[in-house]
């Protein structure tokens, strides 16, 4: 790590109307952003750095050049580490840490902006992000079966979390490629848009999220994602506890403010948008 400067990842912070939006760009375009061990180490540091960065309130994960991410680097992550168990273990830890452990419940909203190829291991971080918008002509595929491995790491688990079993098994066992439109149809991404609208649509979603109370967004995301694998009675208890925790953490008192604006001032209706936050709260 070099505090903001990384070998394989670029960070760009927006200002002006998009202040708070930070672009995290996988930056090995000549290798279609395939994930080398160094990229995994860099991404661990990037996510740790941005977690406490006051200028960052939302992340967009994308790729430099023609690809979003061509999966694990078959040379540097797999073949070259075949006989180096300690290095393999270190790289595998970093690979799982940033793409799932950290990203899935990251305390700030995350959007995957899929600008091109998305293969194999790239599915893990795609599914871990809260939102995904793809170019209609982006190309997706679980190619593992084509070259003699299975969608390992965490791909098969993330895949079956995100898709119905029929689609997950089809994609994993055929290895066939599909485009952004199909990714939208099977709900692997939220939406597919023409390539020349990709950035604009991503920014529009980011701006919408940046208007909301960040503490409420954090707690909501974690609650919705975690509650899926919890039995019903424990889920009810967990959600109640999570609501209490959110009220305690929410320094701007969103719950009381929203209710007062609706019930007392009659200045807004929650069914149609966020409550009014002061400039300081938004900063
Ligand atoms: N691992 C290592 N190197 C990779 C890579 C990967 N996953 N994906 C691409 N590259 C490298 C290529 O070896 C090539 O390197 P070179 O210039 O030194 O020869 C370079 O990136 C460009 O790749 P190329 O195949 O020429 O680009 P393309 O635009 O024609 O095709 C892909 C792009 C992504 C369709 C193709 O590279 C591909 O099929 N990659 C493998 C994807 C995959 O199976 N990933 C699963 C891994 S879990």
């Amino acid at each position: 790590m070099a505090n903001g400067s990384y070998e394989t990842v670029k960070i760009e912070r927006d200002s002006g109307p998009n202040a708070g939006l930070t672009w995290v760009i996988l930056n090995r375009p000549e290798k279609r952003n395939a994930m080398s061990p160094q990229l995994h180490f860099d991404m661990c540091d990037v996510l740790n750095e941005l977690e406490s960065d006051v200028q960052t309130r939302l992340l967009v994960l994308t790729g430099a050049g023609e690809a979003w991410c061509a999966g694990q680097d078959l040379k540097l992550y797999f073949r070259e580490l075949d006989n180096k168990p300690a290095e393999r273990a270190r790289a595998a830890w970093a690979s799982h840490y940033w793409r799932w452990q950290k990203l899935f419940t990251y305390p700030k909203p995350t959007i995957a902006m899929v600008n091109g190829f998305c293969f194999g291991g790239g599915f893990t971080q795609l599914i871990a992000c809260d939102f995904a918008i793809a170019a209609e002509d982006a190309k997706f595929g679980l190619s593992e079966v084509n070259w003699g491995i299975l969608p390992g790491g965490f791909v098969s688990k993330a895949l079956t979390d995100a898709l119905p079993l029929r689609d997950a098994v089809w994609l994993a066992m055929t290895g066939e490629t599909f485009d952004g439109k199909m990714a939208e149809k099977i709900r692997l991404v939220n939406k597919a848009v023409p390539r020349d609208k990709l950035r604009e649509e991503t920014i529009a979603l980011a701006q919408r999220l940046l208007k909301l109370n960040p503490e409420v967004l954090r707690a909501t995301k974690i609650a919705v994602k975690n509650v899926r694998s919890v039995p019903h009675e424990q889920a009810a208890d967990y959600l109640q506890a999570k609501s209490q925790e959110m009220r305690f953490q929410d320094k701007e008192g969103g719950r009381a403010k929203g209710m007062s604006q609706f019930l007392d001032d009659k200045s807004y209706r929650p069914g149609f948008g966020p409550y009014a936050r002061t400039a300081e709260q938004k900063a």
Side-chain angles (χ1 to χ4, degrees):
M1 174 174 56
N3 203 16
S5 158
Y6 299 92
E7 206 177 306
T8 63
V9 183
K10 256 191 310 186
I11 297 179
E12 291 173 5
R13 292 175 176 81
D14 273 7
S15 54
N18 304 333
L21 191 176
T22 294
W23 301 86
V24 175
I25 305 160
L26 302 187
N27 193 27
R28 300 183 72 219
E30 71 293 349
K31 299 292 179 190
R32 307 298 182 260
N33 303 317
M35 298 179 285
S36 62
Q38 185 60 46
L39 185 142
H40 292 309
F41 300 140
D42 285 349
M43 277 304 299
C44 289
D45 289 338
V46 165
L47 292 185
N48 286 338
E49 178 191 333
L50 296 180
E51 185 171 358
S52 58
D53 174 32
V54 289
Q55 281 184 59
T56 298
R57 288 188 287 129
L58 176 148
L59 299 189
V60 175
L61 182 62
T62 191
E66 296 161 49
W68 191 67
C69 175
Q72 298 287 12
D73 189 306
L74 301 174
K75 182 163 178 264
L76 300 178
Y77 184 84
F78 285 120
R79 203 169 63 186
E80 287 198 354
L81 300 187
D82 273 350
N83 297 314
K84 299 178 180 165
E87 288 176 40
R88 160 63 57 78
R90 213 162 77 84
W93 175 86
S95 164
H96 185 65
Y97 175 78
W98 83 263
R99 291 184 307 146
W100 195 262
Q101 236 175 294
K102 198 75 190 161
L103 198 57
F104 187 63
T105 49
Y106 202 64
K108 303 176 181 186
T110 52
I111 304 173
M113 184 178 91
V114 186
N115 54 303
F117 299 116
C118 174
F119 281 96
F123 276 52
T124 298
Q125 65 265 32
L126 172 71
I127 293 166
C129 283
D130 304 329
F131 303 92
I133 303 183
E136 286 174 348
D137 61 355
K139 190 156 274 170
F140 296 79
L142 286 175
S143 49
E144 284 89 337
V145 74
N146 292 329
W147 49 276
I149 66 164
L150 58 79
F154 201 67
V155 174
S156 292
K157 177 65 181 155
L159 189 72
T160 46
D161 272 1
L163 298 184
L165 193 61
R166 283 277 172 250
D167 291 322
V169 172
W170 182 286
L171 297 182
M173 289 189 67
T174 65
E176 75 184 17
T177 56
F178 53 101
D179 65 10
K181 287 186 190 168
M182 176 58 83
E184 178 188 299
K185 195 168 163 210
I186 62 173
R187 308 310 295 146
L188 181 62
V189 302
N190 295 102
K191 59 174 153 176
V193 299
R195 175 165 293 272
D196 61 353
K197 294 266 183 298
L198 182 61
R199 199 177 162 88
E200 195 182 304
E201 290 273 352
T202 304
I203 290 174
L205 172 61
Q207 284 178 335
R208 206 165 129 194
L209 294 166
L210 285 167
K211 289 197 182 97
L212 294 166
N213 179 324
E215 191 52 45
V216 174
L217 280 183
R218 181 197 67 82
T220 300
K221 170 222 291 244
I222 292 172
V224 171
K225 289 187 171 185
N226 281 347
V227 85
R228 294 167 319 133
S229 54
V230 175
H232 286 75
E233 283 314 309
Q234 285 162 29
D237 189 48
Y238 168 80
L239 287 170
Q240 204 158 32
K242 199 79 201 157
S243 303
Q244 295 298 336
E245 183 240 12
M246 187 192 74
R247 281 173 71 183
F248 179 75
Q249 298 283 358
D250 180 14
K251 301 292 177 264
E252 61 182 79
R255 183 179 183 275
K257 191 154 291 154
M259 284 199 194
S260 166
Q261 287 176 12
F262 178 64
L263 298 172
D264 306 326
D265 309 344
K266 307 218 177 276
S267 58
Y268 108 111
R269 285 188 290 161
F272 298 96
Y275 69 88
R277 298 169 66 223
T278 64
E280 290 125 42
Q281 284 165 342
K282 286 187 206 156

